[in-house]
Structures are given as structure tokens and as C-alpha cells.
Amino acid sequence: MHPFSLVRPKTVREAVNAAAQAGADTRFIAGGTTLYDLMKLNIEQPRQVIDISGIADLSRIETDGGQLRFGALAPMSAVAADAVVSRDHPVLAEALAKAASQQLRNMATVGGNLLQRTRCPYFRNGAGGIYPCNKREPGSGCAAIGGLDRGQAVLGTSEACTAVSPGDWPVALVAVDAMIEVLGPDGSRSVPAGELYRLPGDAPHLEFTLARGEMITAIVVRKTNAGRVSTYHKIRDRESYAFALASAAVVLDFDGERIQQSRIALGGVATRPWRAPDAERLLAGERLTPELALAAGHASFREARAGRHNAFKLELGARTVADALLIAAERRR
Ligand SMILES: Cc1cc2nc3c(=O)[nH]c(=O)nc-3n(C[C@H](O)[C@H](O)[C@H](O)COP(=O)(O)OP(=O)(O)OC[C@H]3O[C@@H](n4cnc5c(N)ncnc54)[C@H](O)[C@@H]3O)c2cc1C
């Protein structure tokens, strides 16, 4: 691991100022469950690390009133266990509870989870030049394309990168139209969760839309009645804990027996948390049947492109969406 200096600000303002002074080679660290791994692998080599874990008021969970507000440092396990969150927005609680292991969720934060980097094996295991990776080393190529691509994305890919966006929580946040509050050298702003992530295009090393020195301070979700009619359904190789092969976050708004509006987001299959508007349109105004649920699942993958070993994700993903729709619909009773 490369040497680095460590600062421990006590306030958000101190943290942002420290980042502004340090320039490009700086990283915030919260739970440290992913950044330290990447530093040990020499994929991340910051000269300065800003440990924000001591900023007390950043871990607050607020559920009163018309919105849910999670401080960026709230532990994933605490948000998952919150009674109001799991009753009124099960999609959020389930996405967190199905991510990583209990020990990791106790350390990891809801802010850090949004900015974790891909688990593509060619990205993580190739530092030192064993495998080319455009995300790790721009312009070097992509060993996953034409390689062992079982885990790679089928949506949002480019000629330069097929790496999956790994997080579960961002998928749920995209489905509920969450807003991400950030503070940076130029002040504060709110970003829709879906707009935090870039498509890889020809610059896969640029993953997030945060400006240099911007820090996530909170995540805000508007409370809706439809929130209760929701789920996060995740399929993985190992049920105890593993990243998603395919997942679906679903929120359903019913008018009587018919779906008035649905929100569907996909994980494990795309290069960023992936909204499925074709499926949402197909469901609008309809009664949900198992056949329609499966048709919506297939509509979600209309634009998908498979590689050598990951074509199974198209059918698995479609069935994951279908199951999620049926699970969520049961909750309206
Ligand atoms: C074995 C294992 C299994 C896992 N399985 C899953 C899984 O199934 N699903 C899943 O979703 N995740 C999984 N994870 C990932 C885990 O959820 C993340 O490591 C964790 O959420 C990151 O949070 P953190 O607070 O530890 O982030 P850190 O490691 O502290 O930081 C992560 C990144 O976010 C940046 N950052 C952190 N906080 C802020 C902030 N407030 N503002 C700006 N930048 C910030 C850091 O600079 C860094 O780049 C797994 C991890 C491991 C090790």
C-alpha cells in the first residue's frame, strides 16, 4: 500500500475544506470497507485520506414528516433495521439487508455504498499490468470483453467496458426517485440518485457525476403510499452473502385492481443502476397477472446485449423482475 496522510475533520465544512486544499489525490473514507481494499490492491492510491467517520451529526436517521432522511454516515445495518423504513418502504430495507454480511453492514455506510467501485475481476485483480482494464488504466483495453464474462453487464455496456455497477442500495434508491444531498467547495446541491452514475461510454474510468471535493451528506426519500407496495428481489450465487447476479427494485402504485404507476430498477445486470421504462409503460393501467409480470420482465431487457457467458442474465433478469412484481403486489392487501 502506498503511504498516505490521514486527517480527521470534526465537521462537514472542515472535511470539504480539507478536500479542496488537497486537490485530486484525496479520498473521503467512511466505513472503509471498500476503499481500504482498493488501496491494498493498489487500485486506489490517494495521497490524503479524509476520515469523516467522526462527524457526529452525519449518521442521523430521520423518519418523521413527509420524508425519510438518512445521514451519509448512517450504518447500512441501522437503516435496514429501522421500523419505519421497513414498514413504509420495504424496498429500501431489503436492499440493505441483502447487501454484504451483517459485520460489513455494521461498518459500511449508506453514503459509502453509493460510491463503491465495480467488482469486475479484471478491474480488481489486474493492477500491475496482468490484465488490461479501461476503468483502472484508461486506454489499456478490456480483458472482460471476450474473456470470462459470466458476471458482466448486459445493459449500458460499451466497447470499452462491461463492468457491473455492484451496489444494491443505489438500485432501490433509483426506484424510489431518491435525492442525494452533496456539499462541495461551491456549496450544496441535490442530485437525483440515477444521475449520480455515468455510463461507461469511451471513458469508463469516470464513474460518478460528483465534482472534485464534493461529499455526500444525506439521502432523502419522499414518503409515498406506494412505498409499502414495494420489494427488492436479489438473485445471487450464494444466499448468505454475495453480489447480485440479477436484482430488481419494484414500487407499485395501484388504483383499485389496476397498476396506476410502477417504478422498476435493475441491479447486477447493468453498468449503472438501471431504470426499466419499457416495462413500466407496459404495466400502466393493467391488472397484474403472472404472464404480464413476465412480459414486463422481458421488456426490461429489450436493449440487452450478452457476451460469451452471460446470456443467462437476460432470462434470469426477466424472471427476477417478474417475481419482484408479484411479491410487491401481494403487499397491497
Ligand atoms: C465481502 C464483501 C461483500 C460485499 N457484498 C455487497 C453486496 O452484496 N451488495 C452491496 O451493495 N455491497 C456489497 N459490498 C460492498 C459494501 O456494501 C461497501 O463496501 C460499503 O457499502 C461501502 O461503504 P463504506 O462506508 O465502507 O465506504 P468506504 O469504503 O469508506 O468508501 C467507499 C467509497 O465512497 C467514498 N465515500 C465514502 N463516503 C463518502 C461520502 N460521504 N461522500 C463522498 N464520498 C464518500 C470513498 O472515498 C470511497 O471511494 C460488499 C463488500 C465486501 C467487502
Side-chain angles (χ1 to χ4, degrees):
M1 195 194 275
H2 283 240
F4 61 92
S5 64
L6 183 71
V7 292
R8 291 201 163 113
K10 286 279 165 259
T11 66
V12 175
R13 181 50 66 191
E14 274 176 39
V16 170
N17 287 346
Q21 280 160 21
D25 292 334
T26 192
R27 290 284 183 278
F28 296 112
I29 196 156
T33 61
T34 194
L35 184 61
Y36 283 137
D37 275 1
L38 293 172
M39 289 169 68
K40 286 188 228 164
L41 291 166
N42 282 328
I43 293 168
E44 294 271 8
Q45 300 181 350
R47 283 172 200 243
Q48 178 177 266
V49 171
I50 303 172
D51 179 358
I52 57 175
S53 62
I55 304 177
D57 49 349
L58 267 196
S59 37
R60 206 172 292 149
I61 300 172
E62 296 166 57
T63 57
D64 294 340
Q67 63 181 29
L68 306 169
R69 192 168 187 283
F70 311 117
L73 291 179
M76 290 169 67
S77 55
V79 178
D82 186 277
V84 176
V85 176
S86 40
R87 186 194 63 206
D88 292 348
H89 280 84
V91 64
L92 299 178
E94 289 170 3
L96 289 167
K98 292 178 182 181
S101 63
Q102 183 66 35
Q103 291 93 331
L104 282 159
R105 292 191 295 271
N106 288 342
M107 281 301 292
T109 64
V110 291
N113 188 276
L114 297 180
L115 300 179
Q116 60 176 303
R117 304 193 69 192
T118 185
R119 311 301 281 201
C120 173
Y122 295 104
F123 168 77
R124 287 180 67 89
N125 300 329
I130 309 169
Y131 302 113
C133 170
N134 288 320
K135 200 181 270 301
R136 185 169 22 78
E137 207 180 318
S140 62
C142 173
I145 296 176
L148 294 175
D149 61 3
R150 176 176 181 269
Q152 300 300 111
V154 293
L155 288 162
T157 57
S158 73
E159 297 300 313
C161 186
T162 59
V164 163
S165 178
D168 295 298
W169 172 236
V171 178
L173 292 180
V174 165
V176 298
D177 293 325
M179 298 297 291
I180 313 302
E181 293 184 353
V182 303
L183 181 70
D186 298 327
S188 59
R189 64 187 179 108
S190 278
V191 190
E195 291 178 23
L196 198 60
Y197 302 92
R198 296 174 190 267
L199 284 171
D202 57 7
H205 60 292
L206 303 175
E207 297 171 304
F208 309 107
T209 56
L210 291 184
R212 184 180 294 170
E214 277 188 327
M215 184 179 150
I216 296 176
T217 53
I219 297 159
V220 177
V221 177
R222 196 169 54 85
K223 283 189 192 169
T224 61
N225 291 336
R228 292 192 181 207
V229 189
S230 73
T231 194
Y232 185 76
H233 191 46
K234 175 176 176 179
I235 307 298
R236 42 194 157 168
D237 279 325
R238 177 181 54 183
E239 193 59 23
S240 58
Y241 76 99
F243 287 89
L245 281 174
S247 70
V250 164
V251 184
L252 296 179
D253 197 352
F254 275 89
D255 181 7
E257 288 301 305
R258 293 180 186 274
I259 294 176
Q260 189 175 41
Q261 197 187 19
S262 61
R263 292 191 178 78
I264 303 171
L266 314 178
V269 292
T271 53
R272 68 177 188 192
W274 197 262
R275 195 74 181 251
D278 287 349
E280 293 175 5
R281 271 192 294 276
L282 192 71
L283 294 169
E286 301 292 337
R287 287 170 193 270
L288 188 68
T289 62
E291 294 74 24
L292 181 64
L294 191 55
H298 286 131
S300 310
F301 286 83
R302 216 170 263 155
E303 310 286 323
R305 280 176 37 191
R308 287 168 69 191
H309 306 291
N310 62 355
F312 75 96
K313 284 196 176 189
L314 277 63
E315 190 59 27
L316 180 68
R319 287 173 185 273
T320 305
V321 171
D323 285 353
L325 287 167
L326 296 170
I327 293 166
E330 279 295 308
R331 294 182 174 169
R332 109 192 111 110
R333 296 175 205 289

